Amino acid sequence: MPLIKNRYGKGRVRIMRVHRDGDKQDVSQLSLKVMLEGDFGRAYTDADNSTSTSTDTIKNIVNVTARENTALQTEPFCQVLAQRYLDLYPQAVSVTITAHETKWARLVIDGAPHPHSFVRDDNGKPFVELHATRDGVTMSSGLDNFVFMKSTQSGWENYYTDKYSTIQPTNDRIAATSMVASWTWSGTPADYKATNAKILEVLLKEFATTYSPSVQNSLYRMGEKALAAVPEISEISMACPNLHFILMNLSGFGLDNNNDVFLPTEEPHGQIECTVGRSS
């Protein structure tokens, strides 16, 4: 039986690149599929793997190329990556790379683009929850799945450890979350839409412009600022799963990784929740 067609590679290779230009940082998050075609048929027909590299190696090449090219836009990055495969593997006649980008828009604080804080631009679903009885109405407004991030100015240190602890302390990490937040109305604002926008603006400004020793502390301070800015709300609740970006170990390839290339992952995630309210 003839083998009519074959190709192989690696799918869902996820990378986050952080490029520094002074105080300004740019981020590029990609999910890539790399597929090779060429003289690989014997692995199928003859159980002969002598011309086939492992798919794990294909993934490693993505990571190394990402570390060496943090500033390239997606199109030239894919071109450089493809050429590396063709240069490495003479048995390959073609390489097909498909790259899907998660778009992050730079956060604007007080009218100015922030150097290292971002919001995902497919972002957030506003919602209202109302409970009415004959005695009265309770109403909350909020946002579901609002994603934001900063590429530095976040840490996790001096925490309780035991024999099962493996994570290392750090004072410089990516902080990212997909927030569900709601606030309870105790008064009527002049304009609900404008006031909701103001609450979000206050939350993001506190997150972006202050060092975060933990997500827990950031959420509490964000809640404090929202309550101080908007007297018409009595409390605010936030549930924030960590969107983890795991620093890749590239030392096996002779490369450092000074918070330049990360593996994006959403599962499992830390789940941080709190409610901040006014004193009775």
Side-chain angles (χ1 to χ4, degrees):
M1 296 285 185
L3 178 66
I4 297 173
K5 189 176 182 180
N6 75 88
R7 66 177 189 164
Y8 84 110
K10 200 75 164 180
R12 297 191 68 185
V13 181
R14 294 166 293 164
I15 57 168
M16 167 67 89
R17 293 178 294 155
V18 177
H19 178 69
R20 293 167 180 79
D21 183 10
D23 292 335
K24 181 183 176 184
Q25 298 189 2
D26 293 296
V27 297
S28 172
Q29 182 176 343
L30 300 175
S31 177
L32 300 104
K33 182 171 73 171
V34 179
M35 300 298 291
L36 303 179
E37 291 189 60
D39 182 18
F40 307 117
R42 282 172 285 167
Y44 295 83
T45 59
D46 301 326
D48 178 359
N49 299 328
S50 61
T51 63
S52 298
T53 190
S54 68
T55 64
D56 187 67
T57 301
I58 292 172
K59 176 262 296 178
N60 289 341
I61 292 167
V62 174
N63 296 340
V64 169
T65 306
R67 173 63 186 89
E68 294 174 344
N69 297 275
T70 59
L72 287 183
Q73 295 180 347
T74 303
E75 288 82 357
F77 174 73
C78 289
Q79 293 170 4
V80 169
L81 182 59
Q83 190 60 52
R84 173 161 282 184
Y85 289 112
L86 294 174
D87 291 344
L88 276 171
Y89 304 123
Q91 66 271 38
V93 298
S94 70
V95 54
T96 301
I97 298 173
T98 306
H100 290 90
E101 182 175 2
T102 298
K103 295 179 69 177
W104 292 92
R106 194 171 296 279
L107 188 59
V108 176
I109 301 292
D110 295 333
H114 195 270
H116 60 251
S117 297
F118 307 84
V119 293
R120 205 169 68 187
D121 67 1
D122 58 347
N123 223 356
K125 295 180 180 180
F127 68 85
V128 173
E129 184 171 284
L130 184 145
H131 178 69
T133 70
R134 299 188 187 279
D135 298 322
V137 173
T138 302
M139 183 171 65
S140 298
S141 301
L143 278 172
D144 192 0
N145 193 33
F146 189 85
V147 181
F148 51 98
M149 171 185 72
K150 57 184 176 183
S151 54
T152 188
Q153 288 296 299
S154 173
W156 178 243
E157 299 179 283
N158 303 316
Y159 46 87
Y160 185 88
T161 62
D162 57 38
K163 65 180 181 180
Y164 302 108
S165 302
T166 58
I167 192 171
Q168 297 300 305
T170 180
N171 60 10
D172 187 8
R173 63 174 183 172
I174 291 178
T177 189
S178 174
M179 180 178 70
V180 179
S182 65
W183 39 93
T184 301
W185 299 101
S186 55
T188 303
D191 184 310
Y192 279 105
K193 183 176 181 180
T195 306
N196 287 334
K198 181 178 181 179
I199 292 170
L200 179 60
E201 179 183 359
V202 169
L203 295 175
L204 293 176
K205 181 177 180 179
E206 179 65 18
F207 173 80
T209 60
T210 61
Y211 177 76
S212 173
S214 66
V215 176
Q216 291 91 325
N217 181 253
S218 288
L219 291 188
Y220 177 74
R221 289 186 286 105
M222 290 160 66
E224 281 189 311
K225 290 295 174 66
L227 289 166
V230 180
E232 295 88 355
I233 62 173
S234 59
E235 65 179 39
I236 180 169
S237 297
M238 291 164 285
C240 289
N242 284 331
L243 304 181
H244 292 298
F245 293 86
I246 300 170
L247 191 69
M248 292 182 179
N249 183 359
L250 302 177
S251 60
F253 309 105
L255 295 172
D256 64 4
N257 189 3
N258 184 27
N259 289 350
D260 300 300
V261 182
F262 299 82
L263 171 65
T265 181
E266 298 183 6
E267 298 175 354
H269 60 243
Q271 182 73 24
I272 315 299
E273 302 182 4
C274 75
T275 299
V276 186
R278 301 188 186 279
S279 301
S280 302

